[in-house]
């Protein structure tokens, strides 16, 4: 497929073009820096909302008498809504205003996080967590469009996207650690992280009012929305993510009737969506614009599609490693939440250093090298945990794994978001960014599903008493996905 050595400032692909309003030429430098920082803070808040819950699930289970096999719903419900509505809300943000969707999404997340903190029963918490994910589904694609609009192709854009992308792995790590500290050392226990996330989300909204440039009207002449396509793709993704998240815990596992039925339905809806988009794109003069142009996947000689595959497998491996490392520390080694979180602290520090490195080299370094090396280090983290000896000191396996695990997430997220922005037209920046985010969400669900199958096969129903071999089986699976990701990157 040829080589993409780096992302030069004048790269043009597909219909891409510089930001139309030239805002970056008149915006003060300090305002540009703050704009990037509030978008990055929004990304950190998104990941913290998703990951922090996992650290205090047992406490919520005790408070509300939730069975252990139902607790994962508090994580899955958020991912279900945030991952499945990215395409639709990204398209609407492109059409009706990214600033509006950023402010509305952050306020929505803040309101529902506050409600989650005051929830008095399991049903209320399940419902709030399910709707909570709609906030990030609105503001994350909007952030990508905002940054693409604010920074024309330049080193400044590279730095902006690299900084924004660092918010994902940092948010995951920080959310876990702060969640553990607040849960263990505050009177509000598990409610405290929800209150904090609510406050930070509202702060993002208030800052966005003053720092984000006014919305530029869409350049499209036909602004009708493909609601049929939106229904097909959203329904298909909801069913698929539900099946991936719940297949292992269903009454009869993957053989459960409703799991099989929903899997078939998801495939049918997604195939119909693709056929419908193809029909609309071929008949654009007489039909409404498609929700997603299929030709988008062939941009840059097909490298756009390869970049989505890369993102899919990287996040499948990285998030699964993070999940099983945490479970290993808490359920196998029997560490309290704070000590388990401390063992993942090197991820946060490394993530910050990786971000600085990417900002400095992303416009100069061979991106193939950057991406392949990142995936390799993510795989190395899984390999270290697949070979771990519980009696060995933390510095032998746990520390180096936590250090190298975040390389792939930082490098690939930064390179991926920048590349997607480069090959997308100005009126489709949020949609293309939403598509990239959707693939990372699907990768997360896929990775957790596959590694859980490996774990359960060896654990044989022993739950928290699972043998070490079950944890290593899950990490060998993560290692395999990282190596597959590395191969895809080498072909990139």
């Amino acid at each position: 497929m040829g080589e993409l050595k780096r992302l030069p400032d004048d790269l043009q692909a597909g219909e891409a073009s510089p930001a139309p309003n030239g805002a970056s030429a008149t915006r003060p430098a300090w305002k540009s820096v703050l704009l990037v920082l509030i978008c990055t803070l929004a990304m950190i808040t998104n990941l913290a909302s998703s990951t922090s819950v996992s650290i205090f699930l047992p406490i919520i289970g005790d408070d509300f008498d939730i069975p252990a096999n139902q607790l994962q719903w508090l994580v899955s419900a958020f991912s279900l809504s945030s991952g499945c509505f990215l395409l639709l809300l990204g398209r609407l943000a492109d059409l009706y205003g990214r600033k509006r969707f950023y402010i509305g999404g952050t306020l929505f997340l803040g309101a529902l996080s506050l409600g989650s903190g005051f929830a008095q029963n399991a049903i209320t918490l399940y419902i709030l967590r399910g709707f909570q994910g709609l906030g990030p589904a609105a503001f994350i694609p909007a952030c990508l469009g905002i940054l693409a609009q604010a920074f024309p192709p330049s080193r400044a854009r590279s730095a902006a996207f690299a900084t924004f992308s660092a918010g994902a792995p940092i948010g995951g790590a920080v959310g876990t650690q702060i969640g553990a500290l607040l849960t263990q050392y505050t009177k509000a226990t598990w409610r405290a992280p929800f209150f904090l996330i609510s406050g930070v989300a509202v702060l993002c909204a208030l800052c966005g009012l003053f720092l984000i440039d006014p919305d530029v009207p869409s350049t499209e002449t036909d602004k009708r929305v493909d609601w049929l396509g939106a229904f097909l793709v959203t329904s298909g993704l909801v069913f698929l993510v539900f099946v991936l998240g719940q297949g292992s815990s269903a009454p009869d596992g993957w053989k459960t009737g409703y799991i099989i039925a929903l899997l078939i339905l998801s495939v049918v809806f997604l195939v119909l969506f693709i056929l419908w988009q193809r029909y609309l794109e071929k008949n654009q003069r007489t039909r409404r614009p498609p929700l997603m142009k299929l030709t988008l996947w062939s941009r840059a000689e097909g490298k756009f599609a390869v970049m989505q595959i890369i993102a899919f497998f990287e996040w499948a491996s990285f998030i699964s490693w993070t999940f099983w490392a945490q479970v290993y520390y808490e359920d196998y080694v029997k560490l309290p939440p704070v000590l388990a979180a401390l063992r993942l602290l090197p991820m946060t520090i490394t993530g910050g250093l990786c971000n600085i490195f990417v900002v400095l080299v992303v416009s100069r370094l061979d991106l193939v090298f950057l991406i392949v090396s990142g995936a390799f280090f993510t795989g190395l983290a899984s390999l270290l945990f697949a070979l771990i000896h519980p009696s060995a000191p933390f510095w032998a396996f746990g520390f180096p794994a936590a250090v190298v695990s975040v390389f792939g997430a930082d490098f690939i997220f930064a390179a991926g978001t920048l590349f997607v922005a480069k090959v997308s037209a100005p009126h489709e920046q949020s949609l293309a960014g939403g598509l990239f985010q959707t693939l990372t969400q699907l990768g997360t669900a896929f990775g957790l599903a596959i590694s859980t199958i490996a774990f359960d096969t060896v654990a044989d129903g022993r739950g928290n008493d699972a043998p070490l071999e079950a944890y290593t089986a899950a990490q060998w699976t993560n290692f395999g996905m990282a190596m597959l990701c590395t191969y895809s990157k080498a072909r990139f």
Side-chain angles (χ1 to χ4, degrees):
M1 296 183 66
E3 292 183 296
L4 180 66
K5 291 295 183 185
R6 59 190 178 93
L7 288 175
D9 295 345
D10 60 349
L11 175 64
Q12 296 292 322
E15 304 171 82
S17 63
N21 63 338
S24 62
T26 58
R27 187 190 312 107
W30 65 266
K31 189 173 181 181
S32 294
V33 171
L34 290 179
L35 173 62
V36 174
L37 290 180
I38 64 159
C39 288
T40 304
L41 183 60
M43 172 61 85
I44 292 174
T45 306
N46 168 38
L47 267 293
S49 300
S50 176
T51 60
S52 62
V53 176
S54 60
I55 201 74
F56 48 79
L57 285 179
I59 299 175
I60 296 178
D62 291 340
D63 280 0
F64 290 153
D65 196 24
I66 304 174
N69 63 349
Q70 297 297 320
L71 282 173
Q72 194 60 29
W73 257 112
L74 295 175
V75 178
S76 301
F78 182 94
S79 300
L80 194 67
S81 57
S82 65
C84 297
F85 285 86
L86 283 163
L87 274 179
L88 172 60
L89 296 181
R91 170 64 174 162
L92 294 176
D94 281 331
L95 287 176
Y96 301 116
R98 294 154 185 161
K99 183 175 183 177
R100 293 176 183 175
F101 275 74
Y102 173 89
I103 294 173
T106 49
L107 286 176
F108 187 86
L109 175 63
L112 269 72
S113 296
L114 184 64
S116 297
F118 284 111
Q120 298 300 311
N121 56 68
I123 298 298
T124 301
L125 193 55
Y126 282 139
I127 293 173
L128 290 173
R129 283 291 290 173
F131 282 103
Q132 193 179 25
L134 293 175
F139 68 72
I140 292 300
C143 282
L144 293 165
I146 288 167
L147 293 177
Q149 174 186 314
F151 298 94
S154 61
R155 289 185 181 178
R157 175 186 270 199
S158 299
F161 274 99
T163 304
F164 171 75
S165 302
I170 291 176
V174 170
T176 299
Q177 291 147 18
I178 293 181
L181 289 171
L182 291 176
T183 300
Q184 188 159 334
Y185 294 113
T186 63
K187 291 182 179 180
T189 64
W190 62 266
R191 300 177 188 273
F194 283 120
F195 296 148
L196 177 62
I197 289 169
S198 176
V200 175
V202 172
L203 175 65
C204 289
L206 293 176
C207 292
L209 281 172
F210 301 100
L211 296 173
I212 298 176
D213 298 326
D215 287 318
V216 176
S218 173
T219 57
E220 292 183 85
T221 55
D222 189 345
K223 297 183 180 181
R224 291 179 296 172
V225 178
D226 174 21
W227 291 110
L228 176 58
F231 169 77
L232 291 173
V233 70
T234 303
S235 299
L237 290 175
V238 166
F239 293 148
L240 180 59
V241 173
F242 176 86
V243 167
L244 291 175
Q246 299 300 311
S248 299
S249 59
D252 293 323
W254 292 92
K255 297 179 181 179
T256 306
Y258 68 82
I259 293 294
I260 296 173
L262 290 178
L263 180 59
I264 294 172
L265 274 178
S266 71
V267 173
V268 170
F269 277 127
L270 292 175
V271 169
L272 288 175
F273 169 72
I274 293 172
L275 294 175
W276 177 242
Q277 298 306 287
R278 182 182 179 187
Y279 172 75
L280 289 181
E281 192 166 3
K282 285 188 173 182
N283 297 274
Q284 272 191 268
R285 292 184 179 180
T286 58
R287 301 289 178 181
R288 67 185 59 212
L291 180 68
M292 179 190 70
K293 292 182 179 179
L294 296 184
T295 53
L296 184 65
W297 292 82
S298 61
R299 298 276 175 85
E301 299 179 346
K303 292 185 178 72
F304 181 92
V306 177
M307 192 69 245
Q308 308 309 309
I309 296 172
I310 288 171
F312 180 90
F313 283 109
E314 169 59 32
W315 283 81
S317 178
F318 170 66
I319 298 297
S320 295
W321 176 84
T322 305
F323 175 80
W324 289 111
Q326 180 179 303
V327 172
Y328 167 79
Y329 284 133
E330 291 194 41
D331 289 351
Y332 186 81
V333 183
K334 306 299 183 184
L335 294 176
V338 169
L339 292 182
L342 282 176
R343 279 158 174 75
L344 299 178
L345 181 61
M347 294 172 60
T348 306
I349 300 171
T350 305
L353 295 176
C354 283
N355 176 48
I356 296 173
F357 176 76
V358 171
V359 168
L360 294 176
V361 307
V362 71
S363 62
R364 301 183 181 90
L365 194 66
D366 184 335
L367 282 189
V368 175
F369 170 78
L370 191 67
I371 295 172
V372 170
S373 61
F376 170 79
F377 282 120
T378 297
L380 181 59
S382 297
L383 180 63
L384 286 167
F385 264 72
L387 300 173
I388 199 168
H389 293 285
S391 59
F394 167 69
W395 310 103
F397 293 92
F399 177 75
V403 167
V404 301
S405 65
V406 77
F407 275 61
D410 255 325
F411 289 175
I412 291 158
F413 206 91
T417 52
L418 183 58
F419 177 73
V420 167
K422 287 284 187 179
V423 302
S424 304
H427 64 266
E428 59 188 17
Q429 290 289 337
S430 295
L431 171 65
L435 180 59
F436 183 78
Q437 295 286 331
T438 299
L439 266 293
T440 63
Q441 292 280 1
L442 289 177
T444 297
F446 175 82
L448 289 174
I450 297 300
S451 58
T452 298
I453 290 173
F455 178 89
D456 289 344
T457 300
V458 178
D460 195 25
R462 282 180 276 182
N464 292 349
D465 297 322
L468 177 64
E469 290 78 10
Y471 296 92
T472 59
Q475 295 291 7
W476 277 118
T477 304
N478 298 335
F479 175 74
M481 290 187 289
M483 292 303 100
L484 181 59
C485 183
T486 304
Y487 175 77
S488 299
K489 291 171 178 60
R491 300 297 296 172
F492 186 66

